[in-house]
Amino acid sequence: MDWDNARIFLAIYRKGTLRAAAILLDIDQATVGRRLNALEKSLGARLFLRTPSGYMATPAGELAVTAAEKMEQAALQFQREMQGIDNRLSGSVRVTTSDTMAAHFVIGAMQRLHVMHPEIRIVLSTSTSITSLTRREADLAVRTLKPTDPDLISRHLTRRSMGLYATPAYLKERGMPTPGNGLAGHDLVIYQASVAPRHQEKICLEPVHNARVAIEVNSGMALIEAAGLGMGLAELPCHMADNDPRLVRVWPERVDQYDVWLVMHSDLSRSARVRAAVDALIDTFPEK
């Protein structure tokens, strides 16, 4: 099995359809199908069952995953190491972060990077999912969780505060919440459990067992917008919500905090363009 076939096999295994695998690899669907057929023929084994819901790995396919992932790790390590010794201030740097951090911090840092080094092409992705740096899905990540992978380098960028917010109209209708009663009589705007599991139990250190959830979202921008439209109480970063004219602070003395981390793979620490992006991000997040 060569690496080109292995990466197509892994894409089908992870995405479940030829179409999704083709999109992931940026090649056409017919090529994915032909390469899979050629791979199965060369191995003399059926790797997937074609089902109405997608491609399901056979026992032979499950065995092939381990070998293919070892090939992937070796290929990605080679790629990282070659990029790590690249001294050119040009080429692509892939950055991932949340939509709110992108809007309020990261894009500004990338704009300054572009002014200083216009030959560096920035590829910015926003998501609440944890992008894999070891699989080269990104070169740099700005996250609120410190990674535990020993191959990743993390730097603390800043600590931010969160408070409880609502619109004046909402508070006029429902009244101020009472601490200690589980936010009884109030509606909530919260993250989906897959994004912030703690929101199912508490917001801004207050239990929520007596409240009604009005909406669950999976992005920070949606969270702020729903709160700004008066759908309910929301736990929001103070540096954003304090500047939103639609919102007022509830319980100003109540503060929760979160940390922001810059994460990269250790193999990329010597890449000139990655280091330039790192420096731009660090300058954007002065320690407070």
Side-chain angles (χ1 to χ4, degrees), residues 126-156:
T126 57
S127 174
T128 53
S129 63
I130 302 300
T131 302
S132 175
L133 299 180
T134 56
R135 290 180 179 169
R136 285 299 314 282
E137 294 173 358
D139 301 316
L140 297 171
V142 179
R143 296 175 173 170
T144 57
L145 294 176
K146 185 178 182 180
T148 57
D149 189 324
D151 291 329
L152 300 180
I153 299 172
S154 60
R155 176 184 174 120
H156 185 258

Side-chain angles (χ1 to χ4, degrees), residues 56-73:
M56 305 294 293
T58 64
E62 293 289 354
L63 286 175
V65 170
T66 300
E69 287 183 337
K70 288 181 179 178
M71 295 179 70
E72 178 185 50
Q73 291 166 9

Side-chain angles (χ1 to χ4, degrees), residues 93 95 97 100-118 120-122 124 140 142 157 262 273-286:
V93 176
V95 182
T97 189
T100 51
M101 283 196 282
H104 287 263
F105 301 111
V106 176
I107 291 178
M110 296 300 96
Q111 188 272 337
R112 289 188 291 276
L113 174 66
H114 174 67
V115 170
M116 295 178 62
H117 306 293
I120 295 178
R121 179 175 179 172
I122 302 133
L124 177 64
L140 297 171
V142 179
L157 292 175
L262 175 61
R273 62 180 178 268
V274 173
R275 288 302 316 175
V278 167
D279 291 341
L281 287 165
I282 289 173
D283 289 344
T284 302
F285 288 90

Side-chain angles (χ1 to χ4, degrees), residues 162-166 170 177-184 186-192 196-216 223 227 231-237 249-251 254-257:
M162 295 182 293
L164 198 61
Y165 293 85
Y170 171 87
T178 302
N181 73 350
L183 298 178
H186 284 275
D187 289 342
L188 303 182
V189 176
I190 63 172
Y191 277 120
Q192 295 172 12
R198 60 187 176 81
H199 274 189
Q200 306 297 315
E201 298 182 0
K202 292 183 179 182
I203 61 170
C204 205
L205 307 176
E206 182 71 13
V208 300
H209 56 275
N210 288 327
R212 179 176 62 186
V213 175
I215 186 171
E216 299 182 28
L223 194 75
M231 292 189 70
L233 300 167
E235 178 189 73
L236 299 170
R249 182 85 175 264
V250 178
W251 305 339
R254 183 76 66 90
V255 177
D256 200 359
Q257 294 185 316

